[in-house]
């Protein structure tokens, strides 16, 4: 939140972080997307102006809340300030100087209206007039509030290049007068693909950044897509995938260290969320329209079955990865298949699969080095495994992952 305020204005330094400032930051993370959506619709689809008004509101919260306390209705407070800024800008054509006057709070809109606004904004970002390559990044920023640098890391491009793409896309939305409405039945399927990718992107960034709130947000949006398109098998597959993964959230990192899924304590898994995921996956299968998200969800369902069977069915996972790599090949799926084959058949076979992946693609892919190190260790090649673990560590930026790799490296029997 302080970074957001600083990027908007250099008028005054942000106050030191206090309990109320921390609360302001928490509200900012949780509310950003819904407030931008409301403000953008109110402003005729001008996303940049909505973000500008909201940044002013956050900046003012940082000034007032630490002094006077967090209001009972913080979202309503932020929305009121931001709406006033929008009105001032519309009337005067320029920003006015902030004051310390406390605004009269209004209640935030009904939840259904908020949900509709957020969906409208997502479908605006997926409009065919917008470059398809920026659909997902645009939704990640405007609806979920991710910073350009975090999005850039996920898409493996520079933060400056990503920021430029996002600005161009927002200007295009305003210039083209793209309507702030849900698309009609005919246009819904095409744009739904981009929206599903954005929700999946939020879920993936959560795994990269260890931001648990994004998984909850992605699950909410996926469930909303299911409600919007109940006959969309891939929407249900996506919801199932995220729910299966979210069910293991508490077991994923223990004592600051990453725990692989097959080693996690199943007592920490959320049975109710697993059951919900299983229902979505069953409903998706009944629609007989297989797709990537359903296959990924089925892989997670096999892992979840360990809760009952006390074992991981590596053969079933191997077969599912064959299907996934045939339908939606990716470096992540190829490396995961090699890891699963190594557990199912033997480390030599897993290493052989890794060797068939293009070396230039694997060179900077940290999970590939981690899997190679594990398989080398399993085959007794401890010196080579140590080198691979060191390479994986050089590429790892996620603290719990680094500690996991360090522990595996330290556990090798080196002569």
């Amino acid at each position: 939140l302080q970074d957001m305020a600083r990027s908007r204005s250099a008028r005054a330094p942000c106050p030191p972080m206090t309990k109320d400032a921390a609360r302001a930051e928490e509200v900012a993370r949780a509310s950003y997307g819904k407030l931008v959506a409301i403000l953008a619709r109110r402003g005729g689809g001008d996303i940049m102006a909505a973000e500008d008004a909201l940044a002013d509101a956050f900046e003012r919260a940082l000034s007032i809340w630490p002094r006077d306390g967090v209001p009972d209705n913080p979202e309503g407070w932020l929305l009121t300030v931001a709406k006033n800024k929008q009105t001032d800008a519309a009337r005067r054509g320029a920003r006015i100087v902030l004051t310390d006057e406390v605004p009269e709070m209004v209640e935030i809109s009904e939840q259904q209206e908020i949900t509709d606004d957020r969906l409208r904004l997502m479908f605006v970002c997926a409009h065919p007039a917008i470059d398809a390559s920026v659909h997902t990044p645009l939704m990640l920023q405007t609806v979920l509030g991710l910073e350009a640098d975090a999005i850039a890391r996920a898409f493996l491009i520079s933060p400056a290049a990503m920021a430029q793409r996002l600005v161009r896309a927002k200007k295009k939305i305003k210039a083209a007068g793209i309507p702030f409405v849900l698309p009609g039945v005919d246009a819904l399927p095409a744009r739904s693909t981009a929206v599903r990718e954005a929700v999946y992107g939020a879920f993936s960034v959560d795994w990269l950044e260890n931001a648990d709130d994004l998984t909850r947000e992605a699950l909410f949006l996926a469930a909303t897509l299911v409600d919007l398109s109940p006959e969309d098998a891939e929407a249900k597959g996506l919801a199932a995938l995220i729910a299966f993964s979210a069910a293991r959230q508490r077991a994923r990192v223990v004592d600051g260290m990453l725990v692989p899924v097959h080693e996690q304590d199943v007592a920490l898994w959320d049975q109710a969320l697993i059951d919900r995921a299983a229902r979505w996956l069953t409903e998706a299968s009944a629609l007989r329209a297989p797709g990537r998200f359903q296959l990924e969800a089925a892989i997670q369902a096999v892992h979840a079955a360990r809760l009952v069977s006390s074992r991981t069915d590596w053969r079933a996972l191997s077969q599912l990865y064959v299907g996934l790599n045939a339908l939606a090949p990716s470096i992540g799926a190829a490396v995961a298949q090699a890891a699963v084959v190594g557990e199912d058949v033997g480390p030599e076979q897993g290493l052989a699969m890794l060797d068939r992946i293009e070396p230039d693609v694997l060179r900077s892919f940290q999970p590939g080095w981690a899997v190679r190190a594990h398989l080398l260790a399993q085959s007794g090649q401890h010196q080579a495994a140590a080198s691979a673990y060191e390479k994986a560590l050089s590429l790892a930026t996620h603290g719990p992952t680094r500690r996991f790799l360090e522990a595996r490296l330290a556990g090798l029997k080196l002569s």
Side-chain angles (χ1 to χ4, degrees):
L1 176 56
Q2 289 182 333
D3 287 343
M4 182 187 299
R6 276 193 289 267
S7 70
R8 277 284 293 113
S9 173
R11 285 192 303 266
C14 292
M17 183 64 74
T18 64
K19 180 179 179 181
D20 287 326
R23 173 60 175 150
E25 190 167 333
E26 178 185 340
V27 172
R29 286 196 303 268
S31 306
Y32 184 86
K34 68 178 72 172
L35 295 180
V36 166
I38 293 169
L39 293 165
R41 180 167 65 91
R42 183 175 185 264
D46 191 337
I47 295 173
M48 294 179 71
E51 292 175 327
D52 205 42
L54 188 56
D56 270 334
F58 285 142
E59 185 177 357
R60 195 169 177 195
L62 277 175
S63 173
I64 294 177
W65 291 4
R67 183 193 70 198
D68 298 342
V70 179
D72 293 336
N73 177 18
E75 284 187 347
W77 192 101
L78 290 167
L79 182 61
T80 300
V81 175
K83 281 184 173 181
N84 289 343
K85 293 303 168 188
Q86 275 187 318
T87 300
D88 290 336
R91 287 175 179 169
R92 302 175 59 173
R95 275 183 49 207
I96 62 172
V97 177
L98 298 177
T99 72
D100 279 344
E101 182 182 344
V102 179
E104 217 176 286
M105 287 182 289
V106 298
E107 289 297 322
I108 201 163
S109 307
E110 292 297 321
Q111 184 61 44
Q112 185 57 49
E113 183 179 349
I114 294 170
T115 299
D116 288 348
D117 277 342
R118 296 171 82 193
L119 280 174
R120 287 189 189 101
L121 182 53
M122 293 186 80
F123 281 103
V124 164
C125 295
H127 194 278
I130 304 298
D131 183 352
S133 68
V134 82
H135 284 167
T136 295
L138 188 58
M139 282 182 260
L140 289 176
Q141 186 177 73
T142 59
V143 180
L144 296 170
L146 291 185
E147 296 292 337
D149 57 349
I151 301 170
R153 284 195 296 274
F155 283 81
L156 303 179
I157 68 171
S158 74
M162 178 58 73
Q164 289 175 353
R165 292 184 190 181
L166 291 168
V167 168
R168 284 197 298 268
K170 292 170 189 175
K171 288 181 177 178
K172 175 73 172 181
I173 289 170
K174 181 181 178 181
I178 295 173
F180 205 82
V181 296
L182 291 175
V185 174
D186 292 341
L188 188 61
R191 288 205 231 173
S192 291
T193 299
V195 172
R196 286 196 303 268
E197 288 295 334
V199 174
Y200 181 76
F203 163 69
S204 299
V205 169
D206 179 17
W207 241 236
L208 289 171
E209 301 291 327
N210 204 34
D212 296 349
D213 52 335
L214 275 182
T215 291
R216 293 192 295 271
E217 191 76 353
L219 180 57
F220 168 77
L221 291 171
T224 303
L225 282 177
V226 170
D227 291 339
L228 181 67
S229 304
E231 299 304 310
D232 185 344
E234 277 291 81
K236 292 185 175 182
L238 176 60
L241 166 62
I242 296 173
F244 275 128
S245 300
R248 302 195 308 267
Q249 196 79 22
R250 287 197 303 141
R252 180 178 170 233
V253 175
V254 177
D255 296 330
M257 184 183 297
L258 182 72
V259 182
V261 59
H262 63 281
E263 296 178 12
Q264 290 174 6
D265 181 358
V266 297
L268 296 176
W269 291 357
D270 186 333
Q271 178 69 67
L273 202 49
I274 289 174
D275 291 343
R276 187 182 182 192
R279 285 195 297 273
W280 271 324
L281 184 56
T282 299
E283 292 170 2
S285 299
L287 293 171
R288 299 187 179 280
R292 163 195 167 196
F293 293 130
Q294 293 169 74
L295 278 170
E296 291 196 33
I299 288 167
Q300 298 305 319
V302 172
H303 284 298
R306 187 164 65 86
L307 189 61
V308 176
S309 66
S310 300
R311 58 179 291 272
T312 298
D313 190 340
W314 297 109
R315 180 60 51 85
L317 288 173
S318 181
Q319 292 170 344
L320 285 168
Y321 273 112
V322 169
L324 180 60
N325 276 299
L327 182 65
S330 70
I331 181 174
V335 168
Q337 184 178 2
V340 166
V341 167
E343 298 292 341
D344 179 33
V345 184
E348 291 79 10
Q349 287 82 352
L351 287 166
M353 291 197 71
L354 278 180
D355 289 339
R356 288 197 289 271
I357 301 174
E358 177 59 44
D360 288 342
V361 175
L362 273 180
R363 186 167 289 116
S364 59
F365 189 60
Q366 179 266 317
W369 287 102
V371 169
R372 182 177 295 279
H374 172 72
L375 294 174
L376 286 168
Q378 291 293 95
S379 66
Q381 302 177 63
H382 292 165
Q383 290 290 351
S387 296
Y389 273 128
E390 288 168 355
K391 179 63 176 178
L393 273 165
S394 74
L395 297 169
T397 58
H398 179 229
T401 298
R402 287 190 59 83
R403 286 185 279 276
F404 165 76
L405 294 170
E406 288 165 350
R408 292 297 168 99
L409 176 58
L412 290 175
K413 297 177 180 178
L414 302 176
S415 58

